[in-house]
Amino acid sequence: MTVDVPQLVTQAREGRPRAVARLISLVEGASPQLREVMAALAPLAGGAYVVGLTGSPGVGKSTSTSALVSAYRKAGKRVGVLAVDPSSPFSGGALLGDRVRMSDHASDPGVYIRSMATRGHLGGLAWAAPQAIRVLDAAGCDVILVETVGVGQSEVEIASQADTSVVLLAPGMGDGIQAAKAGILEIGDIYVVNKADRDGADATARELNHMLGLGEARGAGDWRPPIVKTVAARNEGVDEVVDALEKHRAWLEKHDVLNERRERRAAREVETIAVTALRERIADLSGDRRLGSLARRIVAGELDPYAAAALKKHPGAVTSIESDDDDRKAGHWEVTVRGDDGAWHAVTVDMTTGAVAADRDDDRGDDHDDDGKDDDGHHDDRGGDDDGDDD
């Protein structure tokens, strides 16, 4: 069903939660009107401060998010919350239970809370999170809190989506070795040791401080991530977290890092949208009868998996797979295909990431006829000597 996008945007700017919900649903469902929505929101976004909260399961992310909402509301800020929950790899469903811990704000018109499922997307966030952030930004939120799923040691996507990343830890979640292995400790702008009323909180803070000291060297003017101890369930230490957030924002603006981060975020979003569109054009081999044939050739040693992966489904027939030694070492394969429109396409696939590096029309067969003449009737000299003389 087609919706009136300009009217929805106007209503969202007026603070109507139903309009905001509808816009995010259009984004999350990849509606055919998605481009219209983004075009309408583009001039209105850019004013919100985006804070990402991440950490392992059980460290108190939802409770901390709720406490931060309360603190920002006391300061008169309009707050948006995106709470990301994991989808089941078996049923595809998601509980979306993070909002349960934020029920105190359900009736506050200055707070909008939206739960999102990852839908299989890795990295700790949902695929539609960047667009949903833009919706909340354009809707007039002063602060947007993005809570990730419970992450492990390498889900660090939040760092590319937030202006400030807050990493939460809790006592008893592992020793110094675990802290050293955790990739999320490399992305934090602020570190929060929650549940600080438990035994081991001081030790956790010391180990964290030691691990941060082993990291990259920082100059005199560089930001040094603070470590704040909190008991979010009792609202203890939350004001200190807000103070650290404001100091980090001021540092970002003073050193022009805020704009730099937002430009990188926009560039990443453009790249993701472009690659996703190309992947949809190429599609998957799942369900394709050629998959079994390719698997048999791999087992028989006739084909390697990288060459087989280059044979992803594409409109028309694959005519060749080409790769020189340097490209093969770099994981690049070029697949030449002929589409249903009769045009030739050269698609270069990066086998390391599965992404399409280039997709361009080939001029093969377009400018030259079978008689060896080009469209102007001249003979084709390609392949001859530079001077045109016979050997």
Side-chain angles (χ1 to χ4, degrees):
M1 180 181 69
T2 303
V3 299
D4 188 341
V5 172
Q7 183 181 11
L8 278 179
V9 172
T10 299
Q11 292 175 348
R13 294 285 292 177
E14 294 172 351
R16 301 188 187 182
R18 287 182 180 272
V20 178
R22 186 60 177 147
L23 286 171
I24 294 180
S25 294
L26 291 174
V27 166
E28 200 171 11
S31 166
Q33 293 183 272
L34 178 56
R35 290 190 179 185
E36 183 183 357
V37 171
M38 289 296 104
L41 297 178
L44 306 174
Y49 177 45
V50 182
V51 178
L53 294 99
T54 189
S56 303
V59 297
K61 293 186 297 297
S62 296
T63 305
S64 297
T65 300
S66 180
L68 286 174
V69 171
S70 298
Y72 278 118
R73 288 300 293 146
K74 287 180 181 177
K77 307 255 184 210
R78 190 176 175 189
V79 184
V81 178
L82 284 181
V84 183
D85 284 288
S87 297
S88 168
F90 303 103
S91 67
L95 180 60
L96 302 181
D98 284 339
R99 69 175 74 189
V100 174
R101 293 185 176 88
M102 305 180 202
S103 57
D104 292 344
H105 310 289
S107 60
D108 188 343
V111 179
Y112 181 86
I113 301 173
R114 175 70 175 230
S115 292
M116 302 182 73
T118 58
R119 299 188 180 188
H121 184 75
L122 303 178
L125 292 176
W127 180 87
Q131 290 78 30
I133 291 172
R134 183 170 283 107
V135 171
L136 294 177
D137 188 354
C141 291
D142 300 303
V143 178
I144 300 173
L145 304 176
V146 183
E147 179 192 340
T148 73
V149 301
V151 300
Q153 295 175 333
S154 59
E155 293 88 349
V156 296
E157 187 176 352
I158 187 61
S160 65
Q161 299 299 331
D163 298 324
T164 300
S165 296
V166 179
V167 176
L168 286 92
L169 301 95
M173 301 297 289
D175 57 11
I177 300 299
Q178 289 297 106
K181 293 194 300 180
I184 58 172
L185 293 188
E186 300 178 43
I187 67 167
D189 299 305
I190 298 169
Y191 295 90
V192 174
V193 179
N194 191 32
K195 305 181 181 181
D197 54 340
R198 294 185 177 181
D199 292 339
D202 291 337
T204 299
R206 283 196 304 271
E207 290 177 350
L208 177 58
N209 187 57
H210 176 66
M211 289 300 110
L212 294 177
L214 296 177
E216 60 185 68
R218 294 181 173 88
D222 292 343
W223 175 258
R224 295 180 180 275
I227 300 173
V228 183
K229 290 188 287 186
T230 66
V231 184
R234 297 204 299 260
N235 218 37
E236 297 177 6
V238 177
D239 290 340
E240 286 79 359
V241 176
V242 173
D243 183 59
L245 286 168
E246 292 305 313
K247 287 181 179 178
H248 185 245
R249 182 178 187 177
W251 180 86
L252 290 172
E253 293 174 345
K254 179 180 178 181
H255 295 82
D256 200 29
V257 178
L258 183 61
N259 189 58
E260 180 182 325
R261 288 191 176 191
R262 291 179 175 179
E263 288 180 356
R264 285 203 305 264
R265 185 193 313 167
R268 181 183 176 90
E269 186 177 358
V270 171
E271 180 182 359
T272 300
I273 292 171
V275 170
T276 299
L278 288 170
R279 282 176 174 170
E280 288 176 353
R281 290 176 57 189
I282 295 176
D284 294 324
L285 274 173
S286 179
D288 194 310
R289 61 188 180 187
R290 290 180 297 167
L291 181 58
S293 174
L294 291 171
R296 287 190 293 272
R297 291 179 64 187
I298 292 173
V299 173
E302 300 173 1
L303 196 66
D304 68 86
Y306 288 92
L311 287 169
K312 285 187 175 182
K313 191 176 180 181
H314 191 284
V318 176
T319 61
S320 68
I321 303 177
E322 301 174 358
S323 174
D324 58 29
D325 290 340
D326 291 337
D327 285 343
R328 189 177 296 111
K329 290 177 181 178
H332 297 150
W333 290 84
E334 183 174 283
V335 182
T336 305
V337 299
R338 188 165 192 167
D340 293 336
D341 57 357
W344 294 91
H345 305 273
V347 182
T348 303
V349 183
D350 186 336
M351 290 304 148
T352 303
T353 63
V356 176
D359 188 357
R360 62 186 185 280
D361 288 340
D362 198 344
D363 60 1
R364 187 185 315 182
D366 291 342
D367 298 329
H368 295 82
D369 301 323
D370 292 338
D371 59 1
K373 298 179 180 179
D374 60 20
D375 291 341
D376 294 328
H378 300 108
H379 285 282
D380 186 3
D381 292 330
R382 286 183 296 180
D385 297 342
D386 292 340
D387 56 7
D389 296 331
D390 295 342
D391 289 337

